[in-house]
Amino acid sequence: MIRISIKNNMFQIIGAFDFGYIGLYQDDMIQIVDEPDEVREWDIVTQALDSENCTDDELAAFLENYINELQDNIKKNIKQVNDNFLLRVFSAMEAVGNEFWKFKDLTISELLPENPENEVYQPNNKTMTELQNEYNDSPNDGSIQKTDVEALFVKLFQMFDLRKFIQGIEPECICLTDGYLSFQCSDKFKKSVLCSAYDNLDKNLRFTDWHNF
């Protein structure tokens, strides 16, 4: 649960936001960068409030309800949110040919093929493309049934220690903007897979702006 107030023309946020595999964000890690007068001009605010005349308390209460409803929606659809995040991660790894097998903690060595440079990503190119087409620009609010990405990855990339990777994700910050919630996170494996990885989610939990490194 998030609590928002406005003091000295700045947003004060306390509480925790559970983003599934993306991490648990608390207090100062949760941000609204714009000042209150700027936020009053957001579309989500003008559509819901008399933004020119609403008090700071009314504005804070609206934003508090908005972000808590987003968190509730994420909790209800955490499987699809986690799956979309993992797909973004693995797609980025595939695109650059990430040599995760150089990191012992990320590798199940007995399952690593003899020539990982050619035998880890290449055999799965078609499957990855199909998953990307399925998930790209689509909601993750439970309205569309989708392939179980995590189960498929465990099967396709048996040599990658997914459990340890998830445990090693380090949340950095989330930020509420006009109609979007962004997150940023890295990993504890010398940022070998995630380095300030970033994306925006809209109200339908679509991932809209992935960046990594």
Side-chain angles (χ1 to χ4, degrees):
M1 179 69 72
I2 303 300
R3 299 295 184 190
I4 299 178
S5 60
I6 300 174
K7 296 180 181 178
N8 300 320
N9 203 40
M10 296 179 62
F11 289 100
Q12 306 290 323
I13 303 176
I14 59 173
F17 193 104
D18 188 347
F19 226 132
Y21 291 167
I22 299 168
L24 180 66
Y25 298 78
Q26 296 178 289
D27 300 332
D28 292 344
M29 301 168 74
I30 307 166
Q31 305 170 0
I32 299 175
V33 176
D34 289 350
E35 294 183 354
D37 283 347
E38 295 173 307
V39 173
R40 283 182 167 86
E41 298 178 0
W42 288 2
D43 288 342
I44 61 171
V45 174
T46 59
Q47 292 168 8
L49 301 175
D50 180 359
S51 57
E52 293 183 359
N53 299 309
C54 71
T55 66
D56 283 355
D57 287 345
E58 289 170 334
L59 178 60
F62 167 76
L63 296 172
E64 181 180 297
N65 182 67
Y66 187 90
I67 196 170
N68 283 324
E69 284 187 350
L70 272 175
Q71 180 166 204
D72 288 342
N73 199 17
I74 288 171
K75 287 180 179 178
K76 291 176 183 176
N77 298 286
I78 195 61
K79 174 59 180 171
Q80 286 195 352
V81 171
N82 285 341
D83 274 357
N84 205 318
F85 173 67
L86 291 177
L87 178 57
R88 299 271 174 164
V89 171
F90 273 84
S91 294
M93 291 173 67
E94 179 194 35
V96 300
N98 185 298
E99 296 180 338
F100 64 83
W101 47 86
K102 292 183 177 180
F103 293 85
K104 181 179 179 181
D105 288 341
L106 288 174
T107 308
I108 302 174
S109 57
E110 61 269 23
L111 299 177
L112 190 68
E114 291 186 8
N115 299 300
E117 294 83 358
N118 297 321
E119 298 178 45
V120 170
Y121 298 113
Q122 188 172 343
N124 302 312
N125 286 347
K126 181 180 178 182
T127 300
M128 291 294 294
T129 298
E130 291 172 349
L131 285 175
Q132 290 162 5
N133 291 337
E134 179 183 359
Y135 272 80
N136 185 45
D137 197 33
S138 64
N140 296 291
D141 56 4
S143 60
I144 301 175
Q145 186 174 357
K146 300 181 181 181
T147 299
D148 186 330
V149 171
E150 182 172 351
L152 186 58
F153 282 177
V154 168
K155 178 181 178 180
L156 297 179
F157 299 98
Q158 298 179 38
M159 70 295 295
F160 183 79
D161 197 326
L162 183 60
R163 181 183 60 84
K164 285 187 178 179
F165 168 70
I166 292 170
Q167 292 174 344
I169 294 173
E170 297 182 331
E172 295 172 348
C173 64
I174 60 175
C175 183
L176 181 65
T177 56
D178 189 4
Y180 293 92
L181 184 70
S182 64
F183 67 81
Q184 183 173 303
C185 59
S186 294
D187 68 61
K188 71 176 184 180
F189 308 103
K190 297 183 178 180
K191 299 184 178 181
S192 60
V193 177
L194 296 176
C195 181
S196 297
Y198 167 96
D199 211 331
N200 282 331
L201 275 73
D202 66 11
K203 65 179 181 180
N204 296 317
L205 308 184
R206 290 185 300 174
F207 286 59
T208 64
D209 192 25
W210 173 261
H211 296 279
N212 190 21
F213 290 91

